Amino acid sequence: MGKLWSACFYLIICLPLLSACDDSSEPKPDVLETISKSEYAVASAHPLATQAGIKILQEGGNAFDAAVAVTATLAVVEPYASGIGGGGFWLLHFADEDYDIMVDGREVAPFAATRDMYIDAQGNPTKNSVTGPLAAGIPGTPAAITHIAENYGRLPLSQSLAPAIELARDGFLLTEFYAKRAKVVVERLQQFPETMKIFMPNGEVPQAGFKLVQSDLAQVLEQIAADGFDGFYRGDVAQKLVSSVQQAGGIWQLEDLDDYQVIERKPIKGNYKNLEIVSATLPSSGGIVMMQVLNMLSQFDLPAMNEAQRKHVIVEAMRRAYYDRARYLGDKDFVNVQVDELLSMSHAEKHWADFSAQHATRSEDYLENVLDDKPKVNEQAQNTTHFSILDQDGNQVAATLSINYYFGSGFVAKGTGVLLNNEMDDFSIQPGHANLWGLVGSEANAIEPGKRMLSSMSPTFLSDGQRIAILGTPGGSRIISMVLLSALAFSEGASAEQMVNLPRYHHQFLPDEIQYESGALQADTIATLQSMGHVLNDLERSYGNMHVIVWDLKTKQVTAASDLRAIGTAQVETSQ
Ligand code: GLY
């Protein structure tokens, strides 16, 4: 299966990409014509969510209304990936003002959280950062969608939430994709009666074709539609959430919900050769790590390099940027992060001083001040979701949303249908202790009440002067490298389809290894990289679930693609 997959992958995806990437000689237009757009698009991780977004655009909503509809629908149909018990980052582009913001709806640590809350009496990490209500940060998604609808949408929240409410109330048919993910965490789900009642009503994970009805969740969504922020964070729903969490040993209080605040942030912006990049800022590490890698790579002519050389320099740049992630990054409302310094070319040059074109650098040599562990990535780990939207007026949304691991903490608050996240695990719960993604961290990402945990979610906009791309993907720590590889491919001419289906490889400083999808590296490239001292780890599976929209400003053509690795759909429509 793995071999067949990789052979097909190379024939279908890589060969056309190589020729497309070579075709970079066509001159870019000096001045772009004024654009009159007629096409619009939605690409998301689930066909029902894509349909919901298109429906809202067709009812007169803009990209921001559609983002609310897609977020809420994904929360209903992908309980393994995101939900209103979670959070995320919504990157918005306003076409009229040519202006971008990031809506930060990341979860926050409850007020009663403490730095060592997941360390037992013997000094060892417990499982409480992963399973049950203690693992849950205060959700941000309900606040983010009400914020977006109230400030930037055209339609009432009740209209944008209608598709999600209907799917929760009347049910939708489960897929094999759903069943596979639920089976991975069945033991966690079994620990919580309310979760069992909804997601395993017959005592086991339902088969594909089962109709999943979520009546309590429908009511909570209706409450949000009626009362906005207060519908979730205050009143009856808030009471139910807090009392259920506390009864099960959690530490949420009503004040945690009442105080939750969405924050609008200036995204990370940068340039790499012909590309302009707009991406997520802290508390996501995504934009910073990606720009650091691109800064280090800007000295190279990547298309002129052979495969092994190209991969070597990209991996060495990833290693150094992920080292900075572990050492310096955290919620900048709590810790001092020198973002400008990290993004400077002088910092890139300092990092590159010990680069060797012949040999892999050893991450161990960088360990000072960070950690002394040898983390292992959880091979099964998958999470999170992404969607991209372009509306008729050129407004754009790239949003990456999460409840962290499959089905989050596994805990549903009684009477709400709300599955709570286990995003607290994204904090550095003990120096040197690797989280679910194998990521390690330092004091900068230690737990503090009210603090946002460091994320890798990287919703991104790219522009090469002629084309615009709206993209992102789930995939934990590998999100950043996936978006990075697609950005490099886009800068070399790749289409939306080529970007989502690009073979993937990754290095995150620790563990000190190049992880790759089966078939993503050719045998001679593997041999050369090994001879340079790299450790190669064939994950023997695929990862990620990218969704990309590309808008060609010259031809006015919009194309969109969803990852072949999963079940999402991309839809482009033309205005009548
Ligand atoms: N929970 C995964 C992330 O935010 O990076």
Side-chain angles (χ1 to χ4, degrees):
M1 177 66 193
K3 281 203 182 115
L4 182 64
W5 182 84
S6 57
C8 294
F9 213 89
Y10 266 92
L11 285 173
I12 298 166
I13 304 303
C14 307
L15 294 180
L17 178 61
L18 290 177
S19 48
C21 293
D22 285 339
D23 186 22
S24 55
S25 53
E26 194 186 319
K28 304 272 182 289
D30 287 339
V31 182
L32 294 166
E33 299 165 45
T34 310
I35 302 136
S36 84
K37 253 191 53 52
S38 64
E39 292 184 324
Y40 53 97
V42 178
S44 90
H46 200 288
L48 293 169
T50 300
Q51 281 165 28
I54 292 287
K55 180 171 187 287
I56 290 300
L57 291 172
Q58 289 175 342
E59 287 175 4
N62 59 17
F64 314 119
D65 297 302
V68 171
V70 176
T71 300
T73 303
L74 289 171
V76 172
V77 300
E78 277 199 318
Y80 48 81
S82 70
I84 62 167
F89 302 112
W90 291 254
L91 194 61
L92 312 184
H93 174 77
F94 303 93
D96 279 355
E97 299 127 65
D98 191 18
Y99 178 66
D100 307 289
I101 57 162
M102 182 183 95
V103 174
D104 170 359
R106 183 67 161 164
E107 297 89 337
V108 302
F111 290 134
T114 57
R115 189 183 182 286
D116 295 327
M117 63 188 280
Y118 302 116
I119 309 299
D120 68 17
Q122 284 70 48
N124 299 316
T126 67
K127 298 265 181 247
N128 291 334
S129 68
V130 176
T131 303
L134 260 185
I138 303 303
T141 290
I145 56 178
T146 53
H147 178 87
I148 292 168
E150 283 162 14
N151 291 282
Y152 306 118
R154 280 190 204 135
L155 303 181
L157 192 53
S158 54
Q159 191 172 346
S160 304
L161 291 182
I165 293 171
E166 199 176 307
L167 288 162
R169 189 189 56 222
D170 302 342
F172 68 99
L173 300 183
L174 296 184
T175 57
E176 186 54 34
F177 194 80
Y178 172 103
K180 262 194 190 159
R181 277 144 191 79
K183 280 175 191 158
V184 173
V185 291
V186 68
E187 281 165 25
R188 181 173 312 151
L189 304 182
Q190 277 167 342
Q191 294 178 39
F192 305 106
E194 192 76 5
T195 310
M196 287 285 287
K197 204 171 85 186
I198 300 166
F199 296 109
M200 297 169 64
N202 303 320
E204 53 191 29
V205 172
Q207 303 289 326
F210 177 87
K211 186 184 261 198
L212 180 66
V213 173
Q214 300 170 83
S215 318
D216 288 342
L217 184 62
Q219 276 178 24
V220 172
L221 287 167
E222 274 169 3
Q223 203 71 53
I224 297 171
D227 298 336
F229 180 95
D230 289 2
F232 185 88
Y233 294 89
R234 294 173 186 143
D236 186 43
V237 172
Q239 293 278 359
K240 282 185 187 162
L241 289 167
V242 168
S243 82
S244 180
V245 162
Q246 289 187 356
Q247 273 169 28
I251 55 171
W252 288 17
Q253 302 165 63
L254 287 172
E255 301 77 68
D256 285 310
L257 292 166
D258 188 66
D259 262 45
Y260 184 84
Q261 277 178 12
V262 162
I263 302 175
E264 286 198 358
R265 300 188 189 271
K266 213 168 114 191
I268 295 294
K269 291 194 180 189
N271 295 89
Y272 166 78
K273 307 209 172 185
N274 59 338
L275 273 196
E276 278 175 21
I277 299 113
V278 180
S279 190
T281 189
L282 294 170
S284 173
S285 58
I288 295 175
V289 173
M290 181 163 53
M291 270 321 303
Q292 282 192 272
V293 175
L294 293 171
N295 286 347
M296 286 182 254
L297 294 179
S298 60
Q299 61 190 300
F300 294 102
D301 181 6
L302 293 180
M305 295 174 116
N306 71 38
E307 275 311 292
Q309 282 174 331
R310 178 181 171 112
K311 264 126 196 163
H312 174 63
V313 297
I314 292 174
V315 158
E316 289 301 328
M318 286 180 188
R319 179 198 309 278
R320 288 160 173 77
Y322 273 91
Y323 160 78
D324 278 355
R325 183 194 194 279
R327 179 157 182 199
Y328 300 113
L329 300 190
D331 181 348
K332 67 177 186 302
D333 296 338
F334 283 72
V335 290
N336 184 11
V337 183
Q338 305 285 327
V339 176
D340 290 346
E341 163 65 17
L342 291 173
L343 293 177
S344 67
M345 287 312 283
S346 57
H347 187 75
E349 279 161 26
K350 265 189 249 158
H351 257 323
W352 215 247
D354 64 351
F355 167 77
S356 156
Q358 283 79 39
H359 302 291
T361 310
R362 284 154 28 112
S363 292
E364 247 177 70
D365 298 342
Y366 276 76
L367 284 179
E368 198 190 345
N369 295 321
V370 191
L371 331 141
D372 56 4
D373 205 352
K374 302 269 186 299
K376 285 251 175 303
V377 172
N378 179 340
E379 299 298 352
Q380 288 297 320
Q382 287 279 0
N383 77 321
T384 311
T385 194
H386 177 85
F387 66 83
S388 297
I389 299 177
L390 174 68
D391 75 13
Q392 294 91 325
D393 300 322
N395 298 309
Q396 305 164 28
V397 180
T400 311
L401 321 168
S402 188
I403 51 171
N404 203 19
Y405 200 61
Y406 288 144
F407 291 81
S409 65
F411 180 81
V412 172
K414 192 159 192 258
T416 66
V418 177
L419 191 51
L420 303 188
N421 67 84
N422 58 356
E423 219 72 66
M424 290 295 285
D425 191 65
D426 273 351
F427 278 116
S428 168
I429 64 175
Q430 192 182 47
H433 172 70
N435 72 5
L436 282 168
W437 315 112
L439 288 168
V440 288
S442 66
E443 203 55 40
N445 189 32
I447 302 171
E448 287 183 61
K451 188 175 177 183
R452 284 153 147 91
M453 56 294 283
L454 191 61
S455 171
S456 300
M457 292 188 283
S458 314
T460 297
F461 302 142
L462 304 170
S463 167
D464 66 3
Q466 177 171 316
R467 300 180 307 150
I468 282 168
I470 308 165
L471 70 154
T473 177
S477 56
R478 300 187 192 103
I479 291 174
I480 309 170
S481 62
M482 287 186 259
V483 174
L484 168 83
L485 293 178
S486 290
L488 289 172
F490 181 74
S491 81
E492 295 169 18
S495 66
E497 198 180 346
Q498 289 165 336
M499 288 163 78
V500 299
N501 295 316
L502 207 59
R504 292 171 178 152
Y505 57 94
H506 172 80
H507 196 297
Q508 61 181 42
F509 168 60
L510 290 173
D512 190 350
E513 62 187 24
I514 302 174
Q515 299 160 11
Y516 61 100
E517 296 182 311
S518 295
L521 302 181
Q522 286 159 338
D524 56 342
T525 305
I526 292 172
T528 309
L529 289 170
Q530 282 171 332
S531 73
M532 296 169 102
H534 288 285
V535 175
L536 279 288
N537 178 4
D538 181 346
L539 296 176
E540 295 179 351
R541 64 177 180 88
S542 61
Y543 60 83
N545 186 5
M546 186 173 282
H547 306 280
V548 180
I549 296 172
V550 171
W551 176 20
D552 189 319
L553 302 178
K554 195 172 162 213
T555 66
K556 300 185 171 63
Q557 202 191 9
V558 175
T559 48
S562 285
D563 213 309
L564 279 180
R565 298 163 181 83
I567 60 167
T569 50
Q571 208 172 324
V572 181
E573 296 288 332
T574 307
S575 301
Q576 298 307 314

